[in-house]
Structures are given as structure tokens and as C-alpha cells.
Amino acid sequence: MNNLRLRVELNKGGVGIPLDQLGNIVKKTQQFLTAAGEDIGFEGDPGDWVAHNFEDGSVVFDCSRLDEQTQDIMDYGYQVLRNVMENDLSDPELNLRISDATRIRYARISEAIAPNETVSLGLYRGEKDVPSKQFELTKESATKIMEMVPQIANYYGEIQGIVHAFYKESKRPKLAVREKSTNVLVDCFFKPDLYQDVIKMLREPSAVIFVEGEVAEDRESGLIKSIEVSKFHIAPDFDEALFEQFIGSQPDYTGKLTTEEFIEMVRSDD
């Protein structure tokens, strides 16, 4: 079976490696390959990589997919991994398909090694017994990658959540809002002219609110870290009776779903 494979060599020319360092490198390599698998579009879990084919001396092993994939996916996967490990930005179409998270997580493998150490990575092509491409990841090469990839994305957007805390006395007043879809806390910084809006929302501590403004998103995790708020408003209450009445007024609108099934589906998407 033709699988996408990556050769990993640690402590080249030496014997063995400290267990804690090995664990960190393996964990970060797995995070990189999982992110790459999402970009490639593997069927099944993108994190389903297996380590095998170990060798003595310096720590050497292969990482590969054991599930069946089409040849087109294998070829595309090879292109994605080669592009990331070469830090090649010359193909604009391919670059658009590779997430910043994949490039950042590849560079972060270097965090587990000393300044004078190298992680050697070999990329197999087809069913060959030796890698067709070899890459050396160092702290220096990782720094170059990180400098070329934006760590934070800024754009105008909105979140929905519940107020977790109000920081009135801080240098920059803010609300910590627990974002509904990710359950993470987002710092929502606001100017003095929005203070009265904040007070109104705090009168209803369990209310779901919308926060709109300039968003700062972490490119590695895809999570929103903070918002420079331009507008707050409280989400309208959900009226289940009115919702059921609307469903009844549109025959076959919900297909074969019952009213209860449709309401449950909407709530799960909310």
C-alpha cells in the first residue's frame, strides 16, 4: 500500500535521547502532522499517524498513515509537506490551501531542541525505501518561518457569549466574555462611551450578548483572543411557542423532521 511517510531522525550521530525531550518532539510532530492532514483533506481522523520502523543509535523512526487514501491525495499530501518543510511560498495557489497553523506547528517542533541541535526529516515519495527529500529543522530555520507567518490575524467581526467578568479598574476596561461556540474567554476592551451599555448588560448576568469590533485571532489555534469593541447588544430571547407556530405555518418546511427534532437540531447548531 502506498502511504504518505515521513522519516524522523533525532540526535544525529549520537546515541539515544532524553525521554522528556523525545516526548516533546513527538508531541509537536504529531500536532504538525495533524494540522497538515486537515489541509490535505485525509479521509478519517487527520491525526491518525503511526510511528514505526525504529532504528538503533540516534533515534530514527517513520511516521505514516496506515489507512487507504487515493493516489491523488497521496501526491497532494507530498506537495503540502514538502512546501511547508522547504518554507516555499512560490506557489500562491498551494499556499492558500496550507493553513498558518500548519506552518507554525512545524516551526514549533524546534522548541524541543537545543540551539545547536537539529531535527532531520525525510519525506518519502511513493514506495521508495529511502526518503526522496531531506530537511533539517533548526531553531534558526524555525525563526525564519515564524517571521514569515502572521501570528495574529486582525479583522472586523463578532462573537456571541456570556459575560464572565468585568474589569473596571484595569488600565483598559474590559469584559471577559465566554464565547459560546468555543467556550474560551475573550477579552473585550471597550472605550468610556460604551460604559453605560456594559452596565445594561450586567443587569442581566445570564443574558447572551453579541460583541462586535476589531478581532484579534490567534492563527495557530484559530481562537479569538480579544476584541476592540465598537458595539455591544443583548441577544433576543428564544420564543419556543412562536417558533413552533412558525413551523406549522410552513408545510413541509422541515421535511420529515418532527417539530421536536427540528428544534433540537437548531439548538445544537446554536
Side-chain angles (χ1 to χ4, degrees), residues 10-266:
L10 312 173
N11 194 21
K12 194 171 184 177
V15 178
I17 188 173
L19 278 177
D20 59 344
Q21 185 182 25
L22 174 61
N24 285 335
I25 293 174
V26 170
K27 179 180 179 180
K28 291 181 181 296
T29 301
Q30 192 269 340
Q31 290 172 343
F32 157 58
L33 291 175
T34 298
E38 292 174 354
D39 293 341
I40 294 166
F42 281 128
E43 295 181 7
D45 189 337
D48 280 346
W49 293 81
V50 175
H52 62 101
N53 198 23
F54 290 85
E55 292 184 7
D56 292 333
S58 52
V59 179
V60 183
F61 59 93
D62 287 345
C63 296
S64 69
R65 302 278 305 187
L66 297 184
D67 52 348
E68 282 284 357
Q69 303 289 335
T70 66
Q71 188 60 51
D72 286 345
I73 287 291
M74 293 295 102
D75 292 341
Y76 180 61
Y78 179 88
Q79 292 177 31
V80 168
L81 292 180
R82 184 185 66 185
N83 180 285
V84 173
M85 292 188 287
E86 284 182 344
N87 195 25
D88 180 5
L89 303 177
S90 62
D91 186 337
E93 183 177 346
L94 184 58
N95 291 338
L96 286 174
R97 298 181 179 184
I98 299 174
S99 65
D100 291 337
T102 297
R103 297 188 188 278
I104 292 171
R105 288 178 184 176
Y106 173 65
R108 289 203 187 282
I109 296 173
S110 70
E111 294 176 347
I113 61 176
N116 61 337
E117 291 180 328
T118 299
V119 178
S120 296
L121 299 141
L123 187 57
Y124 292 94
R125 182 73 170 179
E127 299 182 4
K128 294 181 179 180
D129 293 330
V130 294
S132 59
K133 284 278 187 179
Q134 196 74 31
F135 308 92
E136 305 295 322
L137 179 63
T138 64
K139 285 191 177 294
E140 183 180 1
S141 62
T143 297
K144 292 179 180 178
I145 294 173
M146 296 293 274
E147 288 174 348
M148 296 175 69
V149 179
Q151 306 298 295
I152 299 293
N154 297 106
Y155 56 89
Y156 196 86
E158 182 180 75
I159 66 167
Q160 180 182 4
I162 296 174
V163 176
H164 175 79
F166 175 29
Y167 296 87
K168 179 184 176 185
E169 299 298 328
S170 58
K171 269 190 175 181
R172 299 174 64 202
K174 68 178 182 180
L175 291 179
V177 175
R178 190 168 298 282
E179 209 273 324
K180 204 171 180 190
S181 64
T182 61
N183 205 37
V184 301
L185 292 176
V186 178
D187 288 334
C188 301
F189 300 99
F190 61 91
K191 295 179 180 178
D193 59 346
L194 291 174
Y195 186 79
Q196 291 303 320
D197 291 337
V198 171
I199 297 302
K200 288 177 185 177
M201 288 185 298
L202 292 176
R203 289 178 184 146
E204 301 183 51
S206 61
V208 176
I209 67 170
F210 291 102
V211 185
E212 185 178 331
E214 290 292 331
V215 170
E217 177 187 307
D218 181 86
R219 299 302 292 154
E220 181 178 3
S221 65
L223 297 175
I224 293 175
K225 294 298 190 182
S226 65
I227 297 181
E228 297 290 340
V229 181
S230 62
K231 186 186 297 184
F232 290 110
H233 60 274
I234 297 176
D237 291 332
F238 176 73
D239 190 327
E240 186 170 320
L242 180 62
F243 192 61
E244 288 185 353
Q245 186 179 18
F246 165 75
I247 295 173
S249 69
Q250 301 290 326
D252 298 326
Y253 183 77
T254 62
K256 295 182 179 180
L257 292 176
T258 65
T259 298
E260 291 75 15
E261 290 171 335
F262 185 68
I263 292 173
E264 185 61 34
M265 180 183 70
V266 171

